[in-house]
């Protein structure tokens, strides 16, 4: 292998960490050099791994062997890739994503192996896993295909339940940009600012208690119950200056909803499907504005909804003891119940069985392509719909001691118990990174 490729790989890891394949242009060129025998299959394989394979491998953790086996089958069956090529490409991807394979075939991720099983360097792994020059038509990992396994992570101390409350979700929010209320009551924003949605670091945006992000706009709730808005206002979604006595806010795609201290609601913005027809609602304790719809949770845990109910996607009559709604897309909506489990809104369709293993959930957050769940022990799990449509359990992220989360379109931010923020891109295309993860220097 040309040493310039190894130098490029090391430089990419230094720059992007385990998200080395965020740079897809460089990734395609590297795959072309590393696997020259793929030729016509290369584009299909890269497209497959861009989102689906990347996401599944990155967060597979203890399920790594099963995820790897499934991806190998899909590469062979769906993309007609030679089995040896599929195995080799998955091996290289795994190494780039932070996995290390020792001599016994055990796989480690982001943690050091026992002293008796030293970690090999990235260069050694790539040199060992490259196709043999004499057998270019059938590249493979080695003479033996050994089963892979992961070492269980150590137990982490549980985060106190008192820290974990939906109230915290009002302090951070994400869409194409990230917004948070810092320790001094100011609002910081980073990310896409095409419509001025990040213009929140001004004198007016002080003494804030809640923030919420919509599609290219931001709304903020002041401690005195008044509301501010910046960004796109093409449907009147920022016409909130006259609001008062507001306790909670929620920004949808094109409308804004406010919950007043008497349990009634205010709404402005697009009302094409009746998503703003909420003035007659009473006894509401929590609100969620989605795409073309609005949810209101009552004191008794029942749910009211108005908006685009095409195909029965907003069916909520079966729901009880609800504390929050996670709106990903019109056909992907979930509810968090008081017992920490997940229920589906609307018809089951492609989301059946997806959340069977989710227990003790303290907060949910949603984006069009994935759901995020914050668990009582302070860990975060993701369920992605990048590939396939039936949903892929992405296991547990590396984050620990998290007290609140916010799902953006292509990234996620988390609030740690020590007041620091974490952020990570979840889409492998670096072009979608507009600085929305630059939040680690904020103090909450």
């Amino acid at each position: 292998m040309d040493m310039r490729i190894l130098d490029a790989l090391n430089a990419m890891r230094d720059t992007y960490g385990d998200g080395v394949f965020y740079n897809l242009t460089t990734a395609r060129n590297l795959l072309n050099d590393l696997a020259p025998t793929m030729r016509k299959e290369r584009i299909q394989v890269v497209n497959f791994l861009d989102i689906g394979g990347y996401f599944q491998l990155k967060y597979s953790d203890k399920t790594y062997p099963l995820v790897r086996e499934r991806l190998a089958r899909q590469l062979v069956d769906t993309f007609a890739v030679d089995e040896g090529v599929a195995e080799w490409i998955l091996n290289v991807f795994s190494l780039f994503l932070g996995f290390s394979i020792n001599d016994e075939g055990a796989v480690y991720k982001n943690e050091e192996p026992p002293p008796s099983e030293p970690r090999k360097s990235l260069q050694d792994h790539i040199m060992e896993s490259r196709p043999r020059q004499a057998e270019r038509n059938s590249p493979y990992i080695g003479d033996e295909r050994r089963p892979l396994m992961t070492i269980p992570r150590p137990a982490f101390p549980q985060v106190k339940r008192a820290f974990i409350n939906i109230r915290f979700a009002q302090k951070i929010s994400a869409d194409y940009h990230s917004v948070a209320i810092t320790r001094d009551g100011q609002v910081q924003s980073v990310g896409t600012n095409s419509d001025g949605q990040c213009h929140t670091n001004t004198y007016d945006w002080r003494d804030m208690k809640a923030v919420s992000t919509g599609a290219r706009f931001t709304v903020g709730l002041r401690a005195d119950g008044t509301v501010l808005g910046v960004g796109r206002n093409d449907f009147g979604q920022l016409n909130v200056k006259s609001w008062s006595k507001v306790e909670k806010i929620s920004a949808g795609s094109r409308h804004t909803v406010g919950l007043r201290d008497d349990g009634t609601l205010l709404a402005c913005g697009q009302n094409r499907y009746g998503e703003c027809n909420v003035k007659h609602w009473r006894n509401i304790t929590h609100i969620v504005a989605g795409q073309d719809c609005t949810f209101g949770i009552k004191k008794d845990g029942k749910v009211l909804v108005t908006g685009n109910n095409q195909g029965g996607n907003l069916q909520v009559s079966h729901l009880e003891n609800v504390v929050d709604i996670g709106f990903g897309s019109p056909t992907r909506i979930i509810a968090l119940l008081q017992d920490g489990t997940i229920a589906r809104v609307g018809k089951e369709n492609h989301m059946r069985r997806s959340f069977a293993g989710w227990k003790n959930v303290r907060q949910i957050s949603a984006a069009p392509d994935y759901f995020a769940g914050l668990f009582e022990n302070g860990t975060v799990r993701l369920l992605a719909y990048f590939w396939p449509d039936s949903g892929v359990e992405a296991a547990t992220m590396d984050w620990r001691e998290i007290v609140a989360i916010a799902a953006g379109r292509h990234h996620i931010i988390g609030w740690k118990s020590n007041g620091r923020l974490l952020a990570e891109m979840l889409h492998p295309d670096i072009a979608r990174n507009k600085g929305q993860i630059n939040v680690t220097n904020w103090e909450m």
Side-chain angles (χ1 to χ4, degrees):
M1 178 184 296
D2 194 324
M3 290 304 296
R4 66 182 177 83
I5 298 177
L6 292 177
D7 292 340
L9 291 176
N10 288 324
M12 287 175 65
R13 282 200 86 180
D14 290 342
T15 303
Y16 302 112
D18 65 3
V20 64
F21 274 89
Y22 285 173
N23 191 329
L24 294 182
T25 300
T26 304
R28 288 186 176 94
N29 293 337
L30 289 172
L31 278 176
N32 190 25
D33 288 337
L34 293 171
T37 60
M38 296 180 66
R39 293 192 178 90
K40 65 179 181 180
E41 298 100 331
R42 188 182 70 256
I43 294 178
Q44 288 182 314
V45 173
V46 173
N47 288 339
F48 169 78
L49 290 172
D50 278 355
I51 297 178
Y54 171 91
F55 199 94
Q56 295 180 52
L57 283 175
K58 183 174 175 63
Y59 295 109
S60 58
D61 287 343
K62 299 182 180 66
T63 61
Y64 177 86
L66 298 177
V67 170
R68 183 190 172 99
E69 181 181 357
R70 181 170 66 243
L71 289 176
R73 285 201 308 269
Q74 290 174 349
L75 281 171
V76 173
D77 298 339
T78 306
F79 294 93
V81 174
D82 179 80
E83 183 178 352
V85 174
E87 290 283 350
W88 182 81
I89 289 297
L90 286 173
N91 190 58
V92 172
F93 258 74
S94 300
L95 297 173
F96 290 165
L97 291 173
F99 290 88
S100 183
I101 308 173
N102 68 12
D103 291 335
E104 300 301 322
V107 176
Y108 299 90
K109 183 184 180 186
N110 298 326
E111 58 187 38
E112 292 298 325
S116 59
E117 300 174 350
R119 182 192 293 269
K120 293 184 178 180
S121 68
L122 176 65
Q123 178 171 328
D124 289 342
H125 276 303
I126 296 175
M127 293 296 289
E128 291 176 4
S129 62
R130 64 182 173 85
R132 295 182 178 182
Q133 185 68 33
E135 301 180 24
R136 286 291 191 182
N137 293 328
S138 182
Y140 57 91
I141 297 174
D143 294 330
E144 298 180 3
R145 292 178 183 170
R146 293 166 292 194
L148 302 178
M149 53 182 288
T150 56
I151 302 300
R153 293 184 176 276
F156 285 83
Q158 288 197 354
V159 177
K160 292 183 179 179
R161 184 181 297 237
F163 278 110
I164 303 176
N165 191 296
I166 288 178
R167 194 168 62 239
F168 279 109
Q170 292 278 293
K171 298 287 187 180
I172 58 177
S173 188
D175 195 77
Y176 291 102
H177 56 302
S178 299
V179 182
I181 301 176
T182 55
R183 184 178 300 175
D184 57 3
Q186 297 188 56
V187 178
Q188 299 286 346
S189 303
V190 291
T192 302
N193 193 32
S194 56
D195 292 272
Q197 58 265 48
C198 291
H199 292 166
T200 60
N201 192 16
T202 64
Y203 180 82
D204 291 339
W205 287 74
R206 294 175 182 269
D207 196 23
M208 308 298 290
K209 62 180 289 187
V211 289
S212 186
T213 54
R216 300 187 180 183
F217 71 99
T218 304
V219 290
L221 174 61
R222 292 163 127 177
D224 63 3
T226 59
V227 182
L228 298 174
V230 291
R232 176 172 289 191
N233 193 32
D234 50 345
F235 289 94
Q237 57 265 52
L238 300 185
N239 298 343
V240 296
K241 292 183 179 180
S242 63
W243 291 7
S244 62
K245 299 181 179 180
V246 176
E247 286 195 337
K248 289 185 179 182
I249 53 174
S250 183
S253 293
R254 303 174 187 88
H255 72 296
T256 303
V257 182
L259 172 62
R260 305 188 73 185
D261 55 11
D262 61 357
T264 61
L265 270 61
L266 300 167
C268 62
Q270 177 181 283
N271 196 30
R272 179 181 180 184
Y273 299 98
E275 54 264 49
C276 291
N277 297 341
V278 296
K279 292 184 178 180
H280 62 286
W281 289 5
R282 298 292 184 270
N283 300 318
I284 305 299
T285 61
H286 188 60
I287 52 174
V288 175
Q291 179 182 333
D292 304 331
C293 65
T294 301
F295 295 88
I297 301 175
K298 302 181 66 175
K299 290 182 179 180
D300 60 3
K302 297 284 188 178
V303 181
L304 300 178
V305 64
T306 182
N308 187 2
N309 192 33
Q310 184 177 4
N313 58 298
L314 300 182
Q315 189 178 96
V316 296
S317 59
H318 62 292
L319 297 175
E320 296 182 349
N321 302 317
V322 177
V323 296
D324 198 10
I325 297 290
F327 186 96
S329 70
T331 58
R332 296 169 183 161
I333 312 172
I334 61 173
L336 173 61
L337 306 184
Q338 290 178 2
D339 62 0
T341 59
I342 303 296
R344 290 170 293 272
V345 175
K347 296 182 178 180
E348 292 191 9
N349 53 54
H350 55 269
M351 292 207 306
R352 60 185 182 277
R353 298 190 303 275
S354 297
F355 296 93
W358 287 37
K359 310 293 182 183
N360 300 316
V361 182
R362 306 312 306 165
Q363 185 199 338
I364 54 175
S365 192
D369 292 320
Y370 72 96
F371 290 103
L374 171 61
F375 289 75
E376 191 170 315
N377 63 358
T379 61
V380 178
R381 296 180 74 179
L382 302 171
L383 183 75
Y385 289 88
F386 297 124
W387 181 281
D389 287 340
S390 59
V392 176
E393 173 59 74
T396 305
M397 295 181 66
D398 295 329
W399 294 359
R400 297 294 183 269
E401 300 180 357
I402 304 298
V403 297
I405 55 175
R409 298 277 173 160
H410 308 302
H411 75 295
I412 183 173
I413 57 178
W415 182 5
K416 286 179 66 70
S417 58
N418 63 4
R420 308 299 295 185
L421 285 181
L422 300 176
E424 185 167 341
M425 292 295 297
L426 297 181
H427 198 287
D429 187 353
I430 195 171
R432 298 174 189 262
N433 184 354
K434 304 297 184 180
Q436 60 265 52
I437 60 175
N438 298 336
V439 301
T440 55
N441 61 332
W442 298 351
E443 293 187 4
M444 303 290 290

